């Protein structure tokens, strides 16, 4: 179901949340995020939109270990371009809403597919990066870790310790997701009763599997999707909120504040 205008959006979210909170004794939100939450910041997404990252390249051409080993300059110039964008731009209102919700102890954590640090820069502390972090790199020879404070100057960047080739500290296609991140994400799924699925096309696995997994955990769990368009995950969600997430997430927060204050007038 989608609601076009802001006022209609407010009331559809208000009634959804009010109904949900009739039954739910607690409100524990987990956010599941994709590249769409950083799009309003000016960081292109991977698929779909004409300015998307993949529009210029195909995933199998760049985000995989064989490409890095055979074409280190090409792969690192792509990562350097992305790092320049990430350091130049900044978190947007959608990131800050999630940081407010964590501070109000309503959001218990974020499971993100994103490799940018915008959730942390917006103030969130429980952020699980399923696909690693683009602002870190590690040496293929000695495993030394580098934290970029700015994009690397030399391409491909070399290890300060042994001169070995560095790789971005991200999960390439064909690689396993970090077991620790999988565990932490599962813990959040157990604790939460409302999931916000924000700005993801739901095509990359196993990450996208967290949404149906949350559904299966309990019949009381509810899922809201925030996206510009419907996705393969939409049928698994209870409410699909269509629109730019930097506009729709603030409306969500207003509606939630409205429901909570109507329930606890003091
Ligand atoms: C694995 C880090 C096995 C790197 C990423 C063939 C060979 C090998 C594997 C596979 C294969 N075929 C399929 C697979 C599985 C593969 C996969 O799922 N492929 C897909 C493409 C079909 N998965 C893997 O390879 C995974 N590993 O399977 O390993 C294994 C198992 C055991 C032991 C050994 C091995 C690893 C996947 C991780 C890949 N790494 N990123 C980097 O970033 O450079 S994935 C990459 O896609 C990013 O992390 C990104 O976040 C993620 C998902 O994309 P989205 O976030 O959803 O972004 P997208 O652009 O797609 O969508 C944006 C959405 O936002 C859109 O819906 C849009 O409408 C919306 N939007 C845009 N603007 C806004 C908005 N919404 C609201 N407001 C807006 N303003
Ligand atoms: Zn090294």
């Amino acid at each position: 179901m989608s609601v076009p205008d802001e006022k209609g959006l407010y009331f559809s979210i208000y009634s959804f949340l009010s109904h949900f909170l009739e039954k739910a004794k607690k409100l524990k939100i987990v956010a599941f995020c994709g590249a769409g939450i950083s799009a309003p910041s000016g960081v292109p997404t991977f698929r779909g939109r004409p300015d998307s990252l993949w529009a210029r390249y195909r995933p199998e051409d760049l985000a995989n270990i064989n490409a890095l080993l055979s074409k280190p300059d090409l792969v690192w110039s792509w990562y350097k371009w992305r790092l320049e964008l990430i350091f130049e731009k900044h978190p947007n209102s959608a990131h800050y809403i999630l940081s407010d919700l964590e501070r109000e102890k309503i959001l218990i954590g974020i499971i993100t597919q994103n490799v940018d640090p915008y959730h942390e820069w917006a103030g969130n502390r429980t952020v699980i990066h399923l696909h690693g972090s683009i602002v870190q790199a590690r040496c293929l020879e000695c495993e030394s870790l580098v934290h970029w404070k700015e994009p690397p100057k030399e391409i491909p960047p070399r290890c300060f310790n042994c001169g070995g080739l560095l790789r971005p500290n991200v999960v390439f296609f064909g690689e396993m997701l970090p077991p620790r991140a999988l565990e932490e994400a599962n813990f959040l799924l157990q604790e939460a009763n409302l999931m916000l699925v924000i700005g993801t096309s739901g095509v990359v696995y196993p990450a996208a599997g967290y949404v149906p997994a949350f559904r299966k955990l309990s019949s009381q769990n509810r899922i809201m999707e925030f996206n510009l368009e419907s996705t393969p995950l939409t049928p698994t969600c209870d409410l699909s909120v269509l629109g730019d997430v930097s506009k729709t997430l603030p409306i969500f927060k207003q509606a939630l504040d409205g429901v909570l204050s109507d329930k606890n007038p003091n």
Side-chain angles (χ1 to χ4, degrees):
M1 175 182 87
S2 67
V3 183
D5 65 307
E6 287 205 8
K7 207 151 176 275
L9 197 54
Y10 176 91
F11 284 111
S12 85
I13 298 174
Y14 182 99
S15 62
F16 176 83
L17 291 173
S18 174
H19 184 70
F20 172 59
L21 288 175
E22 286 305 305
K23 284 199 221 123
K25 291 298 153 263
K26 56 167 187 169
L27 177 58
K28 296 266 178 209
I29 296 179
V30 60
F32 177 75
C33 297
I37 195 169
S38 298
S41 297
V43 178
T45 59
F46 289 83
R47 296 163 189 87
R49 328 276 302 157
D51 64 348
S52 69
L53 295 173
W54 292 147
R56 293 171 177 75
Y57 307 99
R58 293 180 312 136
E60 48 276 23
D61 290 350
L62 296 172
N64 77 58
I65 189 65
N66 301 322
L68 178 71
L69 295 175
S70 57
K71 298 172 278 189
D73 291 64
L74 174 68
V75 172
W76 265 111
S77 53
W78 184 55
Y79 279 97
K80 177 172 173 172
W81 172 60
R82 289 170 63 189
L83 278 164
E84 283 163 348
L85 271 174
I86 285 166
F87 279 109
E88 181 197 320
K89 312 288 184 185
H90 38 76
N92 64 70
S93 50
H95 294 103
Y96 286 106
I97 293 290
L98 295 183
S99 151
D100 293 345
L101 285 168
E102 184 179 88
R103 205 178 17 265
E104 292 164 17
K105 302 203 178 330
I106 294 175
L107 177 93
I108 57 173
I110 298 173
I111 302 169
T112 187
Q113 301 167 92
N114 295 347
V115 293
D116 68 50
Y118 285 178
H119 289 301
E120 290 87 348
W121 289 1
N124 279 91
R125 299 152 73 101
T126 306
V127 183
I128 297 164
H129 285 271
L130 296 177
H131 296 158
S133 164
I134 197 171
V135 290
Q136 290 174 6
R138 68 175 193 271
C139 177
L140 290 173
E141 306 303 329
C142 71
E143 293 282 310
S144 299
L145 207 52
V146 171
H147 296 261
W148 302 121
K149 295 278 174 277
E150 58 182 10
K153 295 214 177 5
E154 64 160 325
I155 293 295
R158 295 266 160 207
C159 173
F160 58 89
N161 183 38
C162 76
L165 178 64
L166 294 181
R167 63 162 285 168
N169 201 24
V170 301
V171 178
F172 282 143
F173 285 98
E175 292 183 334
M176 261 176 76
L177 275 56
R180 174 95 189 272
L182 296 173
E183 250 165 66
E184 289 169 353
N186 284 323
F187 175 76
L188 288 185
L189 249 53
Q190 307 283 341
E191 289 297 301
N193 61 351
L194 176 62
M195 177 182 268
L196 310 181
V197 179
I198 305 171
T200 182
S201 59
V203 298
V204 173
Y205 278 85
Y210 276 105
V211 179
F214 181 68
R215 160 69 68 220
K216 281 198 200 91
L217 269 178
S218 157
S219 57
Q220 310 305 317
N221 285 352
R222 292 292 176 269
I223 307 175
M224 296 176 71
E225 182 179 41
F226 295 78
N227 202 306
L228 291 173
E229 56 202 7
S230 58
T231 72
L233 295 173
T234 306
T236 315
C237 301
D238 299 285
L239 183 67
S240 161
V241 178
L242 291 181
D244 182 313
V245 69
S246 64
K247 307 265 179 319
T248 56
L249 218 46
I251 296 173
F252 166 80
K253 181 68 166 67
Q254 281 163 10
L256 176 61
D257 289 347
V259 169
L260 293 176
S261 64
D262 294 352
K263 285 195 180 312
N264 316 305
N266 38 19

